[in-house]
Amino acid sequence: MKILDKYLLKTFLSTFTMVFVILFFIFILQTVWLFIAELAGKDLDFLMILKFLLFAMPRIIPLVLPLSVLLASIMTFGNLAENYEFSAMKSAGISLQRAMRSLIIFISLLSVVSFFFANNVIPYAEYKFINFRTNIAQVKPALAIAEGQFSDVGFYSIKVNKKSGPNGNTLTGITIHKKAVNGEGGKTVIKAKNGELISSEKSNTLQLVLNDGNYYEDIVPKKYEDRSKMPFAKSSFKKYTINIDLSKLNQVDVNDASISNTNNMLNVSELNYTLDSLHKNLKTDIVSFSENINLRNGIHRNTKVIPSIKNKPLPNDLLTLYTNEQKLDILKVAESTVESLIFSINGSNADFEIKQKNINNHILSFYDKFVIAFACFLMFFIGAPLGAIIRKGGLGLPIVFAILIFISFHFINTFGKRISQENGLSPFLGAWMSSFILSPLAVLLTYRATNDIGLINMDVITVPIQKLFQKLFPPSK
């Protein structure tokens, strides 16, 4: 490796490392802010918080890595151009492409590493991250309940005055409000002197054993006129056990995807296998539904045609073959059949749309593994020539250009995915839309930087204006 390649590679690596660390730290703070409600007031020890952040870190890489490559490229080549080092290179016969050669090799290796990272590390971390959040109450159920405030746990809102014991499972001064299900049910309040939380890692059920307490419930009568009597039930207990379903405890939206959507937890081979199964299941469901519709469609078999015209050609209006009572029965059956078919079609169509969206999400996850690798290339070929053109290093103008370009890339990427999820665009185009739109920009910037053309050729704008003014206001002789 020549001295020039070593110098450029060292300069780029130092800038890239600094930018990557700063941006990574910023995005980690954003992650903490997003999940602060789950971390604060839960008596989580430092090891648990560190584990939480460790599982959340890999998902940040697809955002941080392309932006770091873009900003580092602009800063590196901007510094070289600002300090006239590029002028010295060109005077020695070294072109921009030759100067970028060692960095292109590095970006190629970085793209390969980013693909393997997105294909192996991110799915595993996503799986561990979601399961860690879901099972945190099973490992340490007391973490779901904070002292001195109401905490939502399943269908209950629980407040305790004090927690004690090795894992905080022993509770004192318990007040529980039971939530109404779908707006139904009266107000229920349970108070107990003390209690204990019992859970198992193998079970999704959390047991709350209460001791020495009272149970209060406002009963809602079925008749409206009886509600003014305000019926009320009260009972006391020595021991009372509440079973809480933990499977819905931490169903929090992660990247606008439900926990049941496992597309972010699969690698390329697993996605291929899953997509094949999903396509077969959807096709089987559609064929089965169409066959059932055909079987259900038809005229009521108990209605008989008039025997005297059985062997004659049928008239254009088949209803003339029946009596008025038979006509009424046929029309009622037809109306009921049509309504039933419409209801069945609408319900099945909604189900098919959900399954198709799930397939689209898996396809998008498949292409995302490759998009992150190509994004590193794309951002480098945008940033390097852009830095050489603007001839500004440091953290001023390069950050402005980097943010504008990356926001455009991220917005187009998100927009394309949203449309693809709703079947408005093929998942392939949705995943690659940002790359397709910004690739011509990379080619244009590389061409202009290679030929020493500025970012904007002002002569294209000013010359026609000058000619127009000369025609309108010719110089006096």
Side-chain angles (χ1 to χ4, degrees):
M1 184 180 291
K2 294 185 178 181
I3 297 176
L4 176 63
D5 295 328
K6 291 181 180 179
Y7 172 71
L8 291 174
L9 186 60
K10 181 181 177 181
T11 304
F12 180 82
L13 284 177
S14 60
T15 308
F16 173 78
T17 304
M18 178 191 68
V19 171
F20 182 84
V21 171
I22 294 174
L23 292 176
F24 194 80
F25 179 74
I26 293 173
F27 278 90
I28 283 291
L29 291 179
Q30 182 193 26
T31 302
V32 174
W33 179 258
L34 289 174
F35 298 105
I36 191 67
E38 296 185 42
L39 300 175
K42 299 293 180 67
D43 294 339
L44 291 170
D45 53 37
F46 178 75
L47 184 60
M48 297 287 284
I49 295 176
L50 186 63
K51 195 174 182 180
F52 185 92
L53 294 177
L54 185 64
F55 291 148
M57 285 179 183
R59 59 167 53 204
I60 303 173
I61 298 299
L63 290 174
V64 176
L65 191 59
L67 181 56
S68 299
V69 172
L70 175 63
L71 185 54
S73 301
I74 297 175
M75 291 175 62
T76 301
F77 284 83
N79 280 325
L80 293 174
E82 187 178 14
N83 297 324
Y84 299 101
E85 292 178 89
F86 265 133
S87 300
M89 293 179 193
K90 291 177 181 179
S91 62
I94 299 174
S95 63
L96 178 64
Q97 288 82 357
R98 172 61 186 85
M100 294 169 58
R101 188 173 65 182
S102 60
L103 297 181
I104 291 174
I105 297 174
F106 170 75
I107 295 297
S108 301
L109 295 175
L110 184 64
S111 299
V112 173
V113 172
S114 64
F115 170 77
F116 281 102
F117 188 88
N119 189 46
N120 298 288
V121 179
I122 292 179
Y124 176 77
E126 189 75 13
Y127 171 79
K128 298 294 291 184
F129 177 72
I130 294 178
N131 281 275
F132 177 77
R133 292 172 57 207
T134 305
N135 298 330
I136 192 171
Q138 293 173 311
V139 179
K140 293 184 178 181
L143 295 177
I145 302 173
E147 290 184 357
Q149 66 184 46
F150 282 99
S151 303
D152 290 334
V153 183
F155 294 108
Y156 300 90
S157 183
I158 303 174
K159 177 184 177 182
V160 298
N161 295 334
K162 186 179 179 181
K163 296 191 298 182
S164 59
N167 294 320
N169 288 15
T170 304
L171 310 178
T172 306
I174 305 170
T175 303
I176 300 175
H177 291 271
K178 186 177 180 180
K179 302 175 184 177
V181 181
N182 297 327
E184 299 180 356
K187 296 179 180 178
T188 303
V189 180
I190 305 172
K191 297 178 72 73
K193 291 183 179 179
N194 56 70
E196 183 182 5
L197 287 168
I198 302 174
S199 66
S200 172
E201 295 184 19
K202 299 180 180 180
S203 175
N204 283 328
T205 302
L206 172 65
Q207 284 189 338
L208 176 55
V209 181
L210 304 176
N211 302 316
D212 298 328
N214 296 293
Y215 184 98
Y216 309 90
E217 182 178 4
D218 288 336
I219 300 175
V220 180
K222 294 182 179 179
K223 295 182 179 180
Y224 181 79
E225 57 269 16
D226 293 336
R227 295 185 180 182
S228 59
K229 300 178 182 179
M230 300 179 65
F232 176 80
K234 176 183 177 181
S235 63
S236 59
F237 56 83
K238 289 292 182 181
K239 186 176 182 180
Y240 183 72
T241 302
I242 298 176
N243 294 320
I244 302 173
D245 185 12
L246 292 176
S247 61
K248 298 181 180 179
L249 180 61
N250 282 323
Q251 284 190 352
V252 181
D253 194 12
V254 182
N255 282 345
D256 295 331
S258 174
I259 291 177
S260 60
N261 294 334
T262 59
N263 48 290
N264 292 326
M265 306 179 193
L266 305 177
N267 56 33
V268 170
S269 59
E270 292 170 342
L271 283 169
N272 274 324
Y273 177 81
T274 305
L275 281 169
D276 184 60
S277 300
L278 292 175
H279 278 115
K280 287 181 179 178
N281 291 338
L282 179 60
K283 185 177 181 180
T284 302
D285 290 343
I286 293 175
V287 172
S288 176
F289 173 74
S290 62
E291 291 177 352
N292 291 333
I293 287 293
N294 291 331
L295 291 174
R296 291 170 56 185
N297 190 15
I299 301 175
H300 200 279
R301 296 183 182 277
N302 293 331
T303 306
K304 297 181 180 180
V305 180
I306 299 175
S308 60
I309 60 171
K310 191 173 182 181
N311 297 324
K312 295 181 180 181
L314 293 175
N316 294 330
D317 188 1
L318 294 178
L319 288 176
T320 58
L321 301 176
Y322 303 95
T323 64
N324 290 334
E325 292 182 357
Q326 290 175 330
K327 290 178 182 179
L328 184 62
D329 291 339
I330 291 173
L331 292 176
K332 287 182 178 179
V333 171
E335 182 183 9
S336 176
T337 301
V338 170
E339 290 179 354
S340 176
L341 289 175
I342 292 175
F343 180 79
S344 178
I345 290 172
N346 290 337
S348 299
N349 186 49
D351 185 47
F352 294 152
E353 287 180 356
I354 292 174
K355 291 182 178 181
Q356 186 61 51
K357 288 179 182 179
N358 189 30
I359 292 175
N360 292 341
N361 286 329
H362 281 75
I363 297 175
L364 289 171
S365 296
F366 176 84
Y367 288 122
D368 279 343
K369 317 293 184 187
F370 301 92
V371 169
I372 183 177
F374 182 76
C376 295
F377 261 110
L378 181 63
M379 293 302 160
F380 176 74
F381 281 99
I382 291 177
L386 182 60
I389 291 172
I390 64 175
R391 299 180 181 181
K392 289 289 183 181
L395 295 173
L397 192 60
I399 288 183
V400 176
F401 279 103
I403 291 176
L404 290 176
I405 294 171
F406 184 76
I407 287 177
S408 302
F409 175 83
H410 186 64
F411 173 79
I412 297 170
N413 190 38
T414 305
F415 179 74
K417 288 182 179 180
R418 293 297 183 190
I419 296 179
S420 299
Q421 289 172 351
E422 300 298 330
N423 281 328
L425 193 69
S426 69
F428 174 79
L429 291 177
W432 289 95
M433 180 184 290
S434 56
S435 300
F436 290 156
I437 291 177
L438 292 182
S439 292
L441 177 63
V443 175
L444 176 64
L445 291 175
T446 303
Y447 171 79
R448 297 182 76 89
T450 303
N451 294 278
D452 290 329
I453 304 174
L455 185 62
I456 300 175
N457 190 357
M458 296 302 297
D459 291 340
V460 177
I461 302 174
T462 58
V463 171
I465 296 175
Q466 289 177 357
K467 290 181 179 179
L468 179 62
F469 269 91
Q470 287 176 359
K471 287 182 179 180
L472 293 176
F473 307 101
S476 58
K477 296 182 180 180

